[in-house]
Amino acid sequence: MTHSYPPNLTRQQAEKNLTKFGPNILPESKPLNIGFIFLRQFKSPFVYVLLAAVVVSFSLGQKINAFFILVVLFINAVIGTFQEYSAERAASALKKMVPSYATVIRNNKPIKIHSQDVVFDDLVQLVPGDKVPADIILCSNNDLQVDESMLTGESVAVHKSVKQTQGSGIENGSEKATSITGQKQCCFAGTVVMRGRGSGHVTATGVNTEIGKIATDVEGQQTKPPLLQRIEAFTLRITYGILILITVIFIITVLRGDELGGVFLLAVALAVSAIPEGLPASITVALAIGMVRMAKVQVIIRNLMAVEALGSCTYIASDKTGTLTVNEMTIQHVWLADGSQYQVSGEGVDVQGEIRAVNEQDNNRPVELLTLAGLLANEAYLEKTESGWCGQGDMVDVAFLVLAAKYGIDYKEARALYPEQAQIPYESERAYCASINRYQGKNCIFVKGSVETLLEMCGDDKKPAIAQQANALASKGYRVLGLAYGYIDENLNGVPVRLEDTLHDLSFAGLVGMIDPLRPDVKNAVEKCKTAKINVAMITGDHPITALALAEQAGIADKSMAAVTGLQLNAAYELGPAKFSECVHSTNVFARVSPHQKKQIIEQIMNDGDFVAVTGDGVNDAPALKHAHVGIAMGLRGTDVARENADIILTDDHFASIVQGILQGRIVYNNIRKVIYLLISTGAAEILLVMFSLLFGTPLPLLPLQLLWLNLVTNGIQDKALAFEPEEGSELDKPARSPNEAIFNHRMIERVVVTAIVMGSLAFALFKWQIDQGVSEYDARNITLLLMVLFENVHVLNSRSESLSIFKQYFFGNKLLLLGMLAAQGVHIAAMYTPGLQTLLQIKPVSFAQWSSLLGIALLLIGVDELHKWIDNRRNKPGLSQNEKT
């Protein structure tokens, strides 16, 4: 026998409606016009300064300089446009990796389908956490409450009711009220089910839904991540610094009586030297690469901020089921109220197995009542497919259906034989669910839930023994649930009854101990977190003993640690913030915790200075996901509302994937620092070249055009390649950086100063020596420019790591970077032999001996950087005294 459902579609009817009305998708916002993206590349303080340099160059008659600056700006705009457009497409592709699902009834059978495949007149089932897939009119309702704030702005969930209709009989989108507010019998696409259950027929899909009508008018503008905001602020400071420096030099040179044309040329040279033209495009590349790499380790980034934020994580608050465990619940032990015990064989969703009494004298008959309670107070479905048995619904509910099958009860026949009169669906706040069924000619209420909750409903005198047995099972790592039943006298047919009022003086049927094994990779992942100074905590609604046993297996807790329960948290909260903080930090295991308490825990940990990542999968996890620094939702079993409130989605629900995401986040941030270091240090060296010429009264060592060529050829090729650097291997061996730490921190400033002084001093010394030897300015600049190109070729190797010696790195770890170095050098050498470029850049070929000598000078930079890394590593090495460090 099958379940009785309201009228629903057949597969053929669904296919016909899909063809007629099209897929259930909203109109996507139009991608940014590539021309607009191109023009946006010129909205930068750097560009404004260079455009001013163009005007000055034209005024001085330096038309070639002006033209070349414009060419550089154009090339950088093209690169930036390509990278931004590519990143936009990559982000769009990642969104499609986490589809939304809906449960519909077709052929009188519930199936789970992609939301885009929902069609007009489909019968849709709604449970807490679901995003309503289309506009529907309800035909059943059980305390259904829906958050419609996205459409109405009203933050309070709307209580729904059922309007009696004869079938749907509505054309797609034809019968629509003018106002959403007040349509209690309708649910609208995009809204979120917060509580209760319901079902209804689809009245509109896709563009015909209420949200579809306004989708084209909604243009969401993504907030810039903090990292990009800090970089923009940093570039603004550089711009101001350049303008101040140019102004000071201008005043000094004018007062000294220098020729005004030479002063302006000097100002142009300074502006060109100081501006890292390729920085914005390089940062975009690094972030885009980070998103793609994270996707490969099952981490989908919904918010670009999370690329940076995940690498800063110092505390992970993880749920248990499905993240730390495999999410395949198996009932292995049954304990009845009369003291008899049974072992259950078989694992997972496999009905092959048996229920065997531990003691042969025990009668199997009482197991039937417990089994019925488990399958009737239940919303799951179990069916056999070509690949084996599979269950749909909560895995705990599926486990009870499997137990019934092992006992020999067909759950479909049982549900038909004992028809449901009413139900109380499971909500985490209640910690139980209940079903009233006609059983043996009476109305019988069956309840399933936490042992503590059910004991309060029962009048048994065996409560101490039941609690003791529950603790004994929990201490072995079982998740323990209780089952109870009771007969009620109220006539439910047509008589309003508050079902919760019937939950008293029940009879306790028994306990089940179910196991959800720890994922095999969790223990190693937790160990990596400890090495990286990341604290891992488990927050669950399970029994404290069960939670603690599993936490010890995973390495989250040790033998000296106790689990803190929701009751203990409430007591500590009443004593004030200090006591609550002490309670929260006293353990890594929180059990029997409500969603509100989970949010309180997260907020306290954040207030105490940790950078917190939270995992969750249900509607009740949404507050914690939203308030945490990084919210991580489960992609496989997570509800739509959890995914909507998260920054990151795990497509495999594995805890180990979070650790991989943290690793990739740290790699991305480190690569951004490497790019900034390369560009700023080479720019600083070029500024020193110009400044030295001013101090020593020499001609400019490099002309503005040559400086632009230097920045375009060397850094323009190599800085993008640095963004592809792989992991160094020690990212998870160090504590997380402070999220408030400036990118341009003390360590980077020191490295920039040392490197810039070495490159700038040696290059200027070579230029001045040549001038003093009577070499022409043309030839001296030719040699100096080649030395700077070689310096930057060598310097990019130093930039691959802030602390690791170049001799300890895998040389071929970033083949793109090596190709970039060869390309930069090859392009410059080719320019020396190209007639047009020779004249434009005022360069010419050099002998191999000259090139080799210049390479020898450039290689000195490696020695200097190696020495600085050694000193810096020794200075920051833990365990050394101050005298040893100095």
Side-chain angles (χ1 to χ4, degrees):
M1 298 181 66
T2 59
H3 196 286
S4 177
Y5 293 106
N8 54 87
L9 299 178
T10 64
R11 182 174 60 84
Q12 292 79 9
Q13 289 173 325
E15 290 175 353
K16 183 179 178 180
N17 284 356
L18 182 63
T19 303
K20 182 178 180 180
F21 297 110
N24 180 36
I25 55 176
L26 294 177
E28 296 185 357
S29 57
K30 295 180 180 179
L32 288 176
N33 182 281
I34 197 164
F36 177 78
I37 296 176
F38 176 77
L39 292 175
R40 195 165 62 183
Q41 306 305 310
F42 295 92
K43 188 181 177 181
S44 164
F46 288 167
V47 174
Y48 302 153
V49 174
L50 288 176
L51 288 175
V54 169
V55 174
V56 171
S57 296
F58 265 117
S59 302
L60 297 174
Q62 300 283 333
K63 295 182 180 178
I64 294 179
N65 281 348
F67 175 76
F68 202 76
I69 293 174
L70 289 174
V71 169
V72 169
L73 289 175
F74 177 80
I75 292 174
N76 274 310
V78 170
I79 294 172
T81 301
F82 172 76
Q83 294 300 339
E84 190 171 333
Y85 184 71
S86 299
E88 188 77 23
R89 292 186 55 163
S92 177
L94 291 179
K95 288 179 184 177
K96 296 177 182 177
M97 294 180 67
V98 189
S100 177
Y101 293 96
T103 300
V104 299
I105 308 298
R106 291 180 184 171
N107 294 320
N108 284 319
K109 180 180 175 182
I111 59 172
K112 191 175 184 180
I113 62 174
H114 287 259
S115 293
Q116 68 179 26
D117 295 327
V118 172
V119 300
F120 166 69
D121 217 15
D122 251 332
L123 178 60
V124 178
Q125 290 188 323
L126 300 174
V127 298
D130 281 355
K131 181 188 285 186
V132 180
D135 288 2
I136 70 172
I137 186 165
L138 293 171
C139 59
S140 71
N141 171 43
N142 189 339
D143 192 27
L144 187 65
Q145 298 177 32
V146 180
D147 178 3
E148 296 182 344
S149 57
M150 66 174 296
L151 291 175
T152 65
E154 176 58 56
S155 59
V156 178
V158 178
H159 290 258
K160 293 296 180 177
S161 59
V162 175
K163 178 180 180 181
Q164 298 299 326
T165 58
Q166 192 69 27
S168 62
I170 302 172
E171 289 300 324
N172 194 3
S174 64
E175 289 192 14
K176 286 286 185 178
T178 56
S179 174
I180 293 172
T181 306
Q183 295 191 57
K184 304 295 185 183
Q185 77 281 8
C186 294
C187 293
F188 300 97
T191 59
V192 175
V193 180
M194 303 302 294
R195 187 184 180 92
R197 305 291 193 276
S199 65
H201 289 95
V202 174
T203 60
T205 59
V207 295
N208 294 315
T209 61
E210 290 296 328
I211 192 173
K213 292 176 180 178
I214 63 175
T216 52
D217 298 328
V218 178
E219 293 293 337
Q221 187 171 356
Q222 188 179 20
T223 303
K224 291 181 180 177
L227 175 64
L228 291 184
Q229 292 178 16
R230 292 207 300 270
I231 289 174
E232 286 183 356
F234 171 67
T235 58
L236 200 59
R237 287 195 294 271
I238 291 178
T239 304
Y240 290 149
I242 294 167
L243 294 175
I244 292 171
L245 182 62
I246 290 173
T247 302
V248 171
I249 292 175
F250 181 83
I251 294 172
I252 292 173
T253 50
V254 169
L255 292 175
R256 201 169 62 181
D258 291 355
E259 182 186 353
L260 199 59
V263 174
F264 277 112
L265 190 62
L266 180 65
V268 171
L270 276 172
V272 170
S273 302
I275 292 179
E277 295 91 344
L279 181 59
S282 299
I283 301 303
T284 305
V285 173
L287 289 171
I289 293 166
M291 291 179 70
V292 173
R293 285 179 174 176
M294 285 185 174
K296 290 180 180 178
V297 294
Q298 313 304 320
V299 179
I300 304 300
I301 303 296
R302 291 188 70 248
N303 183 346
L304 199 59
M305 172 185 66
V307 177
E308 172 202 10
L310 195 57
S312 305
C313 176
T314 61
Y315 195 106
I316 301 175
S318 175
D319 62 352
K320 179 178 74 67
T321 304
T323 306
L324 297 173
T325 63
V326 298
N327 196 28
E328 290 184 0
M329 303 299 296
T330 303
I331 296 175
Q332 294 186 340
H333 196 94
V334 176
W335 183 88
L336 300 181
D338 63 3
S340 57
Q341 300 186 51
Y342 305 86
Q343 295 293 335
V344 184
S345 62
E347 294 182 356
V349 187
D350 184 359
V351 300
Q352 300 301 317
E354 61 177 356
I355 303 174
R356 181 172 51 83
V358 174
N359 298 313
E360 292 183 3
Q361 66 270 23
D362 287 336
N363 187 353
N364 252 15
R365 183 65 184 169
V367 179
E368 180 176 332
L369 190 59
L370 178 142
T371 305
L372 282 174
L375 74 86
L376 292 176
N378 193 309
E379 295 182 287
Y381 299 89
L382 186 68
E383 59 184 353
K384 190 172 185 179
T385 64
E386 294 180 357
S387 58
W389 287 91
C390 69
Q392 290 193 23
D394 183 85
M395 292 306 295
V396 171
D397 281 353
V398 171
F400 276 98
L401 299 187
V402 173
L403 177 69
K406 291 175 180 178
Y407 187 72
I409 297 177
D410 185 297
Y411 80 94
K412 294 180 181 178
E413 293 181 359
R415 287 175 176 174
L417 186 61
Y418 311 115
E420 183 178 272
Q421 306 297 300
Q423 69 165 203
I424 302 176
Y426 178 83
E427 302 286 357
S428 57
E429 295 94 338
R430 296 192 187 108
Y432 72 88
C433 64
S435 175
I436 298 179
N437 301 73
R438 292 295 295 175
Y439 179 70
Q440 295 181 345
K442 300 179 182 179
N443 288 324
C444 184
I445 185 164
F446 297 99
V447 189
K448 174 174 95 261
S450 74
V451 179
E452 299 95 323
T453 303
L454 265 64
L455 286 179
E456 293 177 3
M457 303 175 184
C458 295
D460 300 75
D461 56 358
K462 301 176 183 178
K463 289 184 179 181
I466 295 172
Q468 183 180 3
Q469 182 61 32
N471 289 339
L473 288 172
S475 65
K476 297 177 182 178
Y478 287 113
R479 180 178 182 181
V480 184
L481 289 183
L483 298 104
Y485 66 97
Y487 295 97
I488 56 177
D489 297 328
E490 290 90 341
N491 180 11
L492 297 176
N493 295 322
V495 179
V497 175
R498 178 178 163 80
L499 299 184
E500 285 81 356
D501 294 341
T502 66
L503 300 175
H504 57 83
D505 298 324
L506 302 180
S507 299
F508 199 84
L511 304 169
V512 297
M514 53 181 63
I515 194 75
D516 184 8
L518 192 72
R519 289 188 185 273
D521 51 3
V522 164
K523 192 168 185 178
N524 182 51
V526 170
E527 194 60 39
K528 287 182 178 179
C529 287
K530 289 181 178 179
T531 304
K533 301 294 186 288
I534 301 171
N535 195 28
V536 180
M538 176 198 295
I539 304 180
T540 179
D542 257 359
H543 193 285
I545 298 178
T546 304
L548 191 60
L550 194 82
E552 289 178 0
Q553 292 178 38
I556 293 173
D558 54 39
K559 297 291 184 183
S560 64
M561 193 173 287
V564 170
T565 65
L567 291 175
Q568 291 171 311
L569 287 169
N570 281 339
Y573 192 81
E574 293 295 325
L575 296 175
K579 282 293 182 184
F580 187 70
S581 176
E582 182 182 337
C583 180
V584 167
H585 290 286
S586 67
T587 186
N588 288 338
V589 184
F590 302 90
R592 292 292 191 240
V593 172
S594 70
H596 178 68
Q597 288 173 326
K598 183 174 183 179
K599 178 173 170 285
Q600 287 180 321
I601 294 169
I602 300 309
E603 288 178 337
Q604 185 61 56
I605 295 168
M606 291 166 63
N607 290 337
D608 291 340
D610 274 298
F611 201 81
V612 183
V614 173
T615 69
D617 62 354
V619 62
N620 294 301
D621 293 318
L625 290 170
K626 192 169 185 177
H627 283 81
H629 290 115
V630 184
I632 304 173
M634 304 298 107
L636 290 178
R637 62 186 176 86
T639 58
D640 290 328
V641 67
R643 293 198 290 256
E644 286 295 316
N645 283 277
D647 306 296
I648 290 172
I649 297 173
L650 300 184
T651 58
D652 61 359
D653 292 6
H654 284 206
F655 179 83
S657 295
I658 302 175
V659 181
Q660 283 298 311
I662 291 172
L663 170 62
Q664 292 301 327
R666 292 189 177 188
I667 292 171
V668 168
Y669 185 77
N670 289 344
N671 286 351
I672 289 173
R673 283 179 58 89
K674 292 169 186 177
V675 170
I676 292 175
Y677 168 60
L678 173 68
L679 295 177
I680 299 302
S681 55
T682 51
E686 293 166 10
I687 290 174
L688 278 179
L689 261 179
V690 176
M691 295 299 294
F692 282 145
S693 69
L694 180 65
L695 291 174
F696 289 94
T698 67
L700 281 174
L702 295 176
L703 298 173
L705 199 61
Q706 293 172 325
L707 289 168
L708 275 171
W709 173 260
L710 187 64
N711 290 345
L712 175 66
V713 173
T714 308
N715 289 343
I717 297 175
Q718 296 176 153
D719 58 357
K720 311 297 185 299
L722 258 185
F724 287 84
E725 275 293 298
E727 63 179 293
E728 295 180 22
S730 60
E731 283 83 0
L732 291 180
D733 296 335
K734 303 170 184 176
R737 65 176 180 83
S738 168
N740 297 321
E741 174 189 295
I743 294 177
F744 209 64
N745 59 4
H746 173 76
R747 176 180 238 178
M748 187 182 288
I749 291 173
E750 191 175 276
R751 290 189 74 201
V752 165
V753 169
V754 171
T755 303
I757 289 175
V758 172
M759 284 195 289
S761 299
L762 288 177
F764 180 76
L766 177 63
F767 176 76
K768 190 173 187 307
W769 177 80
Q770 291 180 96
I771 295 296
D772 292 343
Q773 295 298 312
V775 176
S776 67
E777 290 182 21
Y778 184 101
D779 290 334
R781 285 181 180 133
N782 180 47
I783 294 295
T784 305
L785 179 60
L786 179 56
L787 176 62
M788 287 299 293
V789 171
L790 288 167
F791 264 140
E792 295 182 351
N793 285 156
V794 170
H795 187 44
V796 75
L797 295 176
N798 291 333
S799 303
R800 293 185 65 191
S801 175
E802 293 188 42
S803 58
L804 196 61
S805 168
I806 193 175
F807 303 108
K808 293 182 180 179
Q809 300 172 46
Y810 178 48
F811 187 74
F812 296 101
N814 186 352
K815 294 183 176 64
L816 190 62
L817 183 65
L818 299 179
L819 289 173
M821 291 170 57
L822 294 174
Q825 187 62 210
V827 167
H828 186 73
I829 292 174
M832 291 178 172
Y833 290 90
T834 304
L837 283 176
Q838 277 184 330
T839 306
L840 185 66
L841 297 174
Q842 299 185 31
I843 56 177
K844 63 181 183 181
V846 298
S847 67
F848 180 75
Q850 288 176 306
W851 184 87
S852 301
S853 300
L854 294 175
L855 178 61
I857 297 172
L859 290 173
L860 293 174
L861 192 60
I862 291 179
V864 172
D865 194 63
E866 287 293 302
L867 179 61
H868 181 266
K869 285 178 182 177
W870 181 83
I871 294 172
D872 189 58
N873 289 338
R874 183 175 176 81
R875 184 171 52 199
N876 294 304
K877 186 176 181 180
L880 289 181
S881 66
Q882 191 61 35
N883 288 335
E884 288 175 316
K885 290 181 179 180
T886 54

